[in-house]
Amino acid sequence: MPIRSIAIGAPGEASHPDAIKASLAEFISTLIFVFAGEGSGMAFNKLTNDGSTTPAGLVAASLAHAFALFVAVSVGANISGGHVNPAVTFGAFLGGNISLIRGILYWIAQLLGSVVACLLLKLATGGLETSAFSLSSDVSVWNAVVFEIVMTFGLVYTVYATAVDPRKGDLGVIAPIAIGFIVGANILAGGAFDGASMNPAVSFGPAVVSWTWDNHWVYWVGPLIGAAIAALVYDGVFIGQATHEQLSTDY
């Protein structure tokens, strides 16, 4: 099971040049992603004079996030793995693919990247609001938690299948596209209900800059649970100890 592979990491890892470079890559990738994703929502609000969300607006948000995540994962993949998401990092940690120390560095970098992106958006737009994620009317916090669990499960499961699985072969080439697609599709499914975050960093930046924390915990609890389930299922069932042993005999 994945739990056996969990690693804390050496004390000196936090100051190792590779870890610092990887964290910087996560900061930049998350900044790129949040700037485009949150920026697309701000642009929609400007064009509609803060009107209500329309189906066209939802499609635009889906496309902006899918395209931006495709790029953000691609540019960070060779340096940090292109997590761009604390939930993905958490899932990778549970599968033994990243140490706790490096995972914490990634989390800090991702959260800072999101905050800086939102600050830059506020500056560039002349002070427009960076709207925090919120629940639609008649959507309870538990409805939203279930949405976030299921959507993040799909995201992290896709990450494992296309980027983490050692048997991925040429499939790894399309990993950033697949990851962007599942996020875009999930926004079409859940965006009208709770904003479809799937990413605590994406929710954190706007919340900090707008200082709006209503139901913010939903956007941490749901994604982390969904990521944990996906990691445990994929690594424990589809990769498994037998696969690890087979791979070790192939080299």
Side-chain angles (χ1 to χ4, degrees), residues 136-163:
S136 297
S137 58
D138 299 326
V139 175
S140 73
V141 292
W142 299 113
N143 294 146
V145 167
V146 171
F147 257 113
E148 292 296 325
I149 289 173
V150 176
M151 291 186 294
T152 311
F153 172 88
L155 167 58
V156 177
Y157 190 91
T158 301
V159 170
Y160 260 86
T162 61

PDB file of all heavy atoms in Angstrom, residues 136-163:
ATOM      1  N   SER A 136     -22.974  28.626  -4.586  1.00  0.00           N
ATOM      2  CA  SER A 136     -24.193  29.171  -5.177  1.00  0.00           C
ATOM      3  C   SER A 136     -25.356  28.988  -4.211  1.00  0.00           C
ATOM      4  O   SER A 136     -25.285  28.206  -3.260  1.00  0.00           O
ATOM      5  CB  SER A 136     -24.506  28.460  -6.495  1.00  0.00           C
ATOM      6  OG  SER A 136     -23.488  28.688  -7.447  1.00  0.00           O
ATOM      7  N   SER A 137     -26.417  29.715  -4.446  1.00  0.00           N
ATOM      8  CA  SER A 137     -27.595  29.590  -3.593  1.00  0.00           C
ATOM      9  C   SER A 137     -28.134  28.165  -3.673  1.00  0.00           C
ATOM     10  O   SER A 137     -28.077  27.510  -4.715  1.00  0.00           O
ATOM     11  CB  SER A 137     -28.674  30.585  -4.035  1.00  0.00           C
ATOM     12  OG  SER A 137     -29.031  30.371  -5.394  1.00  0.00           O
ATOM     13  N   ASP A 138     -28.659  27.692  -2.559  1.00  0.00           N
ATOM     14  CA  ASP A 138     -29.219  26.347  -2.435  1.00  0.00           C
ATOM     15  C   ASP A 138     -28.156  25.246  -2.505  1.00  0.00           C
ATOM     16  O   ASP A 138     -28.499  24.070  -2.626  1.00  0.00           O
ATOM     17  CB  ASP A 138     -30.293  26.076  -3.508  1.00  0.00           C
ATOM     18  CG  ASP A 138     -31.476  27.024  -3.401  1.00  0.00           C
ATOM     19  OD1 ASP A 138     -31.809  27.401  -2.265  1.00  0.00           O
ATOM     20  OD2 ASP A 138     -32.039  27.388  -4.445  1.00  0.00           O
ATOM     21  N   VAL A 139     -26.882  25.619  -2.458  1.00  0.00           N
ATOM     22  CA  VAL A 139     -25.800  24.625  -2.399  1.00  0.00           C
ATOM     23  C   VAL A 139     -25.224  24.657  -0.988  1.00  0.00           C
ATOM     24  O   VAL A 139     -24.692  25.684  -0.550  1.00  0.00           O
ATOM     25  CB  VAL A 139     -24.690  24.931  -3.427  1.00  0.00           C
ATOM     26  CG1 VAL A 139     -23.532  23.961  -3.272  1.00  0.00           C
ATOM     27  CG2 VAL A 139     -25.244  24.864  -4.840  1.00  0.00           C
ATOM     28  N   SER A 140     -25.355  23.555  -0.262  1.00  0.00           N
ATOM     29  CA  SER A 140     -24.849  23.508   1.106  1.00  0.00           C
ATOM     30  C   SER A 140     -23.350  23.240   1.104  1.00  0.00           C
ATOM     31  O   SER A 140     -22.775  22.842   0.086  1.00  0.00           O
ATOM     32  CB  SER A 140     -25.554  22.399   1.894  1.00  0.00           C
ATOM     33  OG  SER A 140     -25.105  21.115   1.474  1.00  0.00           O
ATOM     34  N   VAL A 141     -22.726  23.452   2.253  1.00  0.00           N
ATOM     35  CA  VAL A 141     -21.286  23.187   2.336  1.00  0.00           C
ATOM     36  C   VAL A 141     -20.985  21.720   2.069  1.00  0.00           C
ATOM     37  O   VAL A 141     -19.953  21.377   1.480  1.00  0.00           O
ATOM     38  CB  VAL A 141     -20.721  23.608   3.712  1.00  0.00           C
ATOM     39  CG1 VAL A 141     -20.766  25.112   3.871  1.00  0.00           C
ATOM     40  CG2 VAL A 141     -21.444  22.922   4.853  1.00  0.00           C
ATOM     41  N   TRP A 142     -21.885  20.832   2.467  1.00  0.00           N
ATOM     42  CA  TRP A 142     -21.630  19.400   2.274  1.00  0.00           C
ATOM     43  C   TRP A 142     -21.835  19.001   0.816  1.00  0.00           C
ATOM     44  O   TRP A 142     -21.149  18.112   0.306  1.00  0.00           O
ATOM     45  CB  TRP A 142     -22.495  18.569   3.212  1.00  0.00           C
ATOM     46  CG  TRP A 142     -22.183  18.891   4.642  1.00  0.00           C
ATOM     47  CD1 TRP A 142     -22.991  19.508   5.553  1.00  0.00           C
ATOM     48  CD2 TRP A 142     -20.925  18.692   5.311  1.00  0.00           C
ATOM     49  NE1 TRP A 142     -22.331  19.682   6.735  1.00  0.00           N
ATOM     50  CE2 TRP A 142     -21.070  19.190   6.626  1.00  0.00           C
ATOM     51  CE3 TRP A 142     -19.705  18.135   4.921  1.00  0.00           C
ATOM     52  CZ2 TRP A 142     -20.033  19.145   7.561  1.00  0.00           C
ATOM     53  CZ3 TRP A 142     -18.665  18.093   5.842  1.00  0.00           C
ATOM     54  CH2 TRP A 142     -18.833  18.583   7.144  1.00  0.00           C
ATOM     55  N   ASN A 143     -22.775  19.668   0.136  1.00  0.00           N
ATOM     56  CA  ASN A 143     -22.881  19.479  -1.316  1.00  0.00           C
ATOM     57  C   ASN A 143     -21.565  19.853  -1.974  1.00  0.00           C
ATOM     58  O   ASN A 143     -21.038  19.129  -2.837  1.00  0.00           O
ATOM     59  CB  ASN A 143     -23.981  20.361  -1.907  1.00  0.00           C
ATOM     60  CG  ASN A 143     -25.381  20.010  -1.460  1.00  0.00           C
ATOM     61  OD1 ASN A 143     -26.231  20.883  -1.312  1.00  0.00           O
ATOM     62  ND2 ASN A 143     -25.636  18.738  -1.203  1.00  0.00           N
ATOM     63  N   ALA A 144     -21.020  20.992  -1.564  1.00  0.00           N
ATOM     64  CA  ALA A 144     -19.775  21.486  -2.158  1.00  0.00           C
ATOM     65  C   ALA A 144     -18.603  20.573  -1.833  1.00  0.00           C
ATOM     66  O   ALA A 144     -17.733  20.339  -2.682  1.00  0.00           O
ATOM     67  CB  ALA A 144     -19.492  22.902  -1.667  1.00  0.00           C
ATOM     68  N   VAL A 145     -18.553  20.052  -0.606  1.00  0.00           N
ATOM     69  CA  VAL A 145     -17.474  19.137  -0.235  1.00  0.00           C
ATOM     70  C   VAL A 145     -17.503  17.898  -1.122  1.00  0.00           C
ATOM     71  O   VAL A 145     -16.461  17.439  -1.612  1.00  0.00           O
ATOM     72  CB  VAL A 145     -17.577  18.739   1.260  1.00  0.00           C
ATOM     73  CG1 VAL A 145     -16.661  17.550   1.564  1.00  0.00           C
ATOM     74  CG2 VAL A 145     -17.202  19.915   2.144  1.00  0.00           C
ATOM     75  N   VAL A 146     -18.691  17.360  -1.361  1.00  0.00           N
ATOM     76  CA  VAL A 146     -18.802  16.180  -2.224  1.00  0.00           C
ATOM     77  C   VAL A 146     -18.346  16.525  -3.638  1.00  0.00           C
ATOM     78  O   VAL A 146     -17.601  15.746  -4.275  1.00  0.00           O
ATOM     79  CB  VAL A 146     -20.253  15.644  -2.233  1.00  0.00           C
ATOM     80  CG1 VAL A 146     -20.407  14.554  -3.293  1.00  0.00           C
ATOM     81  CG2 VAL A 146     -20.623  15.096  -0.860  1.00  0.00           C
ATOM     82  N   PHE A 147     -18.772  17.665  -4.140  1.00  0.00           N
ATOM     83  CA  PHE A 147     -18.328  18.102  -5.471  1.00  0.00           C
ATOM     84  C   PHE A 147     -16.811  18.154  -5.531  1.00  0.00           C
ATOM     85  O   PHE A 147     -16.182  17.619  -6.463  1.00  0.00           O
ATOM     86  CB  PHE A 147     -18.893  19.491  -5.796  1.00  0.00           C
ATOM     87  CG  PHE A 147     -20.055  19.474  -6.758  1.00  0.00           C
ATOM     88  CD1 PHE A 147     -21.317  19.844  -6.334  1.00  0.00           C
ATOM     89  CD2 PHE A 147     -19.883  19.099  -8.081  1.00  0.00           C
ATOM     90  CE1 PHE A 147     -22.394  19.827  -7.207  1.00  0.00           C
ATOM     91  CE2 PHE A 147     -20.946  19.085  -8.969  1.00  0.00           C
ATOM     92  CZ  PHE A 147     -22.210  19.456  -8.524  1.00  0.00           C
ATOM     93  N   GLU A 148     -16.196  18.801  -4.540  1.00  0.00           N
ATOM     94  CA  GLU A 148     -14.744  18.956  -4.553  1.00  0.00           C
ATOM     95  C   GLU A 148     -14.024  17.615  -4.405  1.00  0.00           C
ATOM     96  O   GLU A 148     -12.976  17.399  -5.023  1.00  0.00           O
ATOM     97  CB  GLU A 148     -14.309  19.921  -3.446  1.00  0.00           C
ATOM     98  CG  GLU A 148     -14.739  21.364  -3.672  1.00  0.00           C
ATOM     99  CD  GLU A 148     -14.100  21.982  -4.906  1.00  0.00           C
ATOM    100  OE1 GLU A 148     -12.938  21.663  -5.203  1.00  0.00           O
ATOM    101  OE2 GLU A 148     -14.774  22.782  -5.584  1.00  0.00           O
ATOM    102  N   ILE A 149     -14.565  16.719  -3.610  1.00  0.00           N
ATOM    103  CA  ILE A 149     -13.958  15.389  -3.466  1.00  0.00           C
ATOM    104  C   ILE A 149     -13.958  14.654  -4.797  1.00  0.00           C
ATOM    105  O   ILE A 149     -12.932  14.127  -5.245  1.00  0.00           O
ATOM    106  CB  ILE A 149     -14.704  14.559  -2.400  1.00  0.00           C
ATOM    107  CG1 ILE A 149     -14.434  15.109  -0.999  1.00  0.00           C
ATOM    108  CG2 ILE A 149     -14.284  13.083  -2.474  1.00  0.00           C
ATOM    109  CD1 ILE A 149     -15.265  14.440   0.085  1.00  0.00           C
ATOM    110  N   VAL A 150     -15.122  14.614  -5.444  1.00  0.00           N
ATOM    111  CA  VAL A 150     -15.254  13.848  -6.685  1.00  0.00           C
ATOM    112  C   VAL A 150     -14.422  14.476  -7.806  1.00  0.00           C
ATOM    113  O   VAL A 150     -13.715  13.773  -8.542  1.00  0.00           O
ATOM    114  CB  VAL A 150     -16.741  13.742  -7.110  1.00  0.00           C
ATOM    115  CG1 VAL A 150     -16.852  13.033  -8.460  1.00  0.00           C
ATOM    116  CG2 VAL A 150     -17.537  12.996  -6.052  1.00  0.00           C
ATOM    117  N   MET A 151     -14.488  15.798  -7.929  1.00  0.00           N
ATOM    118  CA  MET A 151     -13.746  16.456  -9.004  1.00  0.00           C
ATOM    119  C   MET A 151     -12.237  16.320  -8.803  1.00  0.00           C
ATOM    120  O   MET A 151     -11.489  16.077  -9.764  1.00  0.00           O
ATOM    121  CB  MET A 151     -14.138  17.933  -9.097  1.00  0.00           C
ATOM    122  CG  MET A 151     -15.560  18.154  -9.591  1.00  0.00           C
ATOM    123  SD  MET A 151     -15.980  19.898  -9.861  1.00  0.00           S
ATOM    124  CE  MET A 151     -15.907  20.537  -8.185  1.00  0.00           C
ATOM    125  N   THR A 152     -11.776  16.468  -7.563  1.00  0.00           N
ATOM    126  CA  THR A 152     -10.345  16.353  -7.311  1.00  0.00           C
ATOM    127  C   THR A 152      -9.883  14.913  -7.432  1.00  0.00           C
ATOM    128  O   THR A 152      -8.751  14.653  -7.850  1.00  0.00           O
ATOM    129  CB  THR A 152      -9.980  16.914  -5.927  1.00  0.00           C
ATOM    130  OG1 THR A 152     -10.577  18.201  -5.769  1.00  0.00           O
ATOM    131  CG2 THR A 152      -8.475  17.046  -5.774  1.00  0.00           C
ATOM    132  N   PHE A 153     -10.749  13.976  -7.082  1.00  0.00           N
ATOM    133  CA  PHE A 153     -10.423  12.568  -7.315  1.00  0.00           C
ATOM    134  C   PHE A 153     -10.131  12.347  -8.795  1.00  0.00           C
ATOM    135  O   PHE A 153      -9.126  11.726  -9.166  1.00  0.00           O
ATOM    136  CB  PHE A 153     -11.577  11.662  -6.879  1.00  0.00           C
ATOM    137  CG  PHE A 153     -11.373  10.215  -7.262  1.00  0.00           C
ATOM    138  CD1 PHE A 153     -10.701   9.352  -6.415  1.00  0.00           C
ATOM    139  CD2 PHE A 153     -11.852   9.719  -8.472  1.00  0.00           C
ATOM    140  CE1 PHE A 153     -10.495   8.020  -6.775  1.00  0.00           C
ATOM    141  CE2 PHE A 153     -11.654   8.409  -8.838  1.00  0.00           C
ATOM    142  CZ  PHE A 153     -10.972   7.547  -7.980  1.00  0.00           C
ATOM    143  N   GLY A 154     -10.995  12.870  -9.664  1.00  0.00           N
ATOM    144  CA  GLY A 154     -10.786  12.712 -11.102  1.00  0.00           C
ATOM    145  C   GLY A 154      -9.492  13.354 -11.565  1.00  0.00           C
ATOM    146  O   GLY A 154      -8.768  12.796 -12.402  1.00  0.00           O
ATOM    147  N   LEU A 155      -9.171  14.519 -11.006  1.00  0.00           N
ATOM    148  CA  LEU A 155      -7.937  15.210 -11.379  1.00  0.00           C
ATOM    149  C   LEU A 155      -6.703  14.416 -10.954  1.00  0.00           C
ATOM    150  O   LEU A 155      -5.811  14.173 -11.767  1.00  0.00           O
ATOM    151  CB  LEU A 155      -7.920  16.603 -10.732  1.00  0.00           C
ATOM    152  CG  LEU A 155      -6.589  17.359 -10.758  1.00  0.00           C
ATOM    153  CD1 LEU A 155      -6.097  17.558 -12.185  1.00  0.00           C
ATOM    154  CD2 LEU A 155      -6.725  18.690 -10.031  1.00  0.00           C
ATOM    155  N   VAL A 156      -6.633  14.028  -9.689  1.00  0.00           N
ATOM    156  CA  VAL A 156      -5.441  13.333  -9.191  1.00  0.00           C
ATOM    157  C   VAL A 156      -5.333  11.931  -9.779  1.00  0.00           C
ATOM    158  O   VAL A 156      -4.227  11.449 -10.047  1.00  0.00           O
ATOM    159  CB  VAL A 156      -5.437  13.307  -7.646  1.00  0.00           C
ATOM    160  CG1 VAL A 156      -4.250  12.519  -7.110  1.00  0.00           C
ATOM    161  CG2 VAL A 156      -5.394  14.738  -7.108  1.00  0.00           C
ATOM    162  N   TYR A 157      -6.456  11.286 -10.025  1.00  0.00           N
ATOM    163  CA  TYR A 157      -6.435   9.982 -10.691  1.00  0.00           C
ATOM    164  C   TYR A 157      -5.823  10.126 -12.087  1.00  0.00           C
ATOM    165  O   TYR A 157      -5.016   9.289 -12.521  1.00  0.00           O
ATOM    166  CB  TYR A 157      -7.846   9.421 -10.781  1.00  0.00           C
ATOM    167  CG  TYR A 157      -7.926   7.982 -11.228  1.00  0.00           C
ATOM    168  CD1 TYR A 157      -7.911   6.943 -10.301  1.00  0.00           C
ATOM    169  CD2 TYR A 157      -8.026   7.647 -12.579  1.00  0.00           C
ATOM    170  CE1 TYR A 157      -7.991   5.617 -10.703  1.00  0.00           C
ATOM    171  CE2 TYR A 157      -8.103   6.339 -12.987  1.00  0.00           C
ATOM    172  CZ  TYR A 157      -8.093   5.329 -12.052  1.00  0.00           C
ATOM    173  OH  TYR A 157      -8.168   4.013 -12.459  1.00  0.00           O
ATOM    174  N   THR A 158      -6.188  11.204 -12.778  1.00  0.00           N
ATOM    175  CA  THR A 158      -5.626  11.474 -14.102  1.00  0.00           C
ATOM    176  C   THR A 158      -4.126  11.740 -14.015  1.00  0.00           C
ATOM    177  O   THR A 158      -3.350  11.278 -14.858  1.00  0.00           O
ATOM    178  CB  THR A 158      -6.337  12.674 -14.749  1.00  0.00           C
ATOM    179  OG1 THR A 158      -7.735  12.395 -14.855  1.00  0.00           O
ATOM    180  CG2 THR A 158      -5.773  12.971 -16.129  1.00  0.00           C
ATOM    181  N   VAL A 159      -3.715  12.488 -12.994  1.00  0.00           N
ATOM    182  CA  VAL A 159      -2.287  12.752 -12.794  1.00  0.00           C
ATOM    183  C   VAL A 159      -1.527  11.444 -12.604  1.00  0.00           C
ATOM    184  O   VAL A 159      -0.465  11.225 -13.207  1.00  0.00           O
ATOM    185  CB  VAL A 159      -2.067  13.676 -11.582  1.00  0.00           C
ATOM    186  CG1 VAL A 159      -0.584  13.755 -11.221  1.00  0.00           C
ATOM    187  CG2 VAL A 159      -2.618  15.074 -11.866  1.00  0.00           C
ATOM    188  N   TYR A 160      -2.058  10.567 -11.770  1.00  0.00           N
ATOM    189  CA  TYR A 160      -1.396   9.282 -11.535  1.00  0.00           C
ATOM    190  C   TYR A 160      -1.330   8.449 -12.810  1.00  0.00           C
ATOM    191  O   TYR A 160      -0.298   7.852 -13.133  1.00  0.00           O
ATOM    192  CB  TYR A 160      -2.121   8.505 -10.435  1.00  0.00           C
ATOM    193  CG  TYR A 160      -1.434   8.612  -9.092  1.00  0.00           C
ATOM    194  CD1 TYR A 160      -1.690   9.669  -8.239  1.00  0.00           C
ATOM    195  CD2 TYR A 160      -0.494   7.660  -8.684  1.00  0.00           C
ATOM    196  CE1 TYR A 160      -1.047   9.786  -7.024  1.00  0.00           C
ATOM    197  CE2 TYR A 160       0.155   7.765  -7.474  1.00  0.00           C
ATOM    198  CZ  TYR A 160      -0.122   8.820  -6.643  1.00  0.00           C
ATOM    199  OH  TYR A 160       0.546   8.942  -5.441  1.00  0.00           O
ATOM    200  N   ALA A 161      -2.423   8.394 -13.549  1.00  0.00           N
ATOM    201  CA  ALA A 161      -2.487   7.530 -14.727  1.00  0.00           C
ATOM    202  C   ALA A 161      -1.581   8.000 -15.851  1.00  0.00           C
ATOM    203  O   ALA A 161      -0.981   7.199 -16.571  1.00  0.00           O
ATOM    204  CB  ALA A 161      -3.927   7.438 -15.230  1.00  0.00           C
ATOM    205  N   THR A 162      -1.460   9.320 -16.002  1.00  0.00           N
ATOM    206  CA  THR A 162      -0.723   9.852 -17.156  1.00  0.00           C
ATOM    207  C   THR A 162       0.675  10.352 -16.835  1.00  0.00           C
ATOM    208  O   THR A 162       1.511  10.458 -17.739  1.00  0.00           O
ATOM    209  CB  THR A 162      -1.502  11.007 -17.815  1.00  0.00           C
ATOM    210  OG1 THR A 162      -1.661  12.078 -16.864  1.00  0.00           O
ATOM    211  CG2 THR A 162      -2.866  10.530 -18.282  1.00  0.00           C
ATOM    212  N   ALA A 163       0.941  10.680 -15.567  1.00  0.00           N
ATOM    213  CA  ALA A 163       2.236  11.273 -15.226  1.00  0.00           C
ATOM    214  C   ALA A 163       3.030  10.488 -14.194  1.00  0.00           C
ATOM    215  O   ALA A 163       4.261  10.520 -14.216  1.00  0.00           O
ATOM    216  CB  ALA A 163       2.027  12.699 -14.710  1.00  0.00           C
TER     217      ALA A 163
END
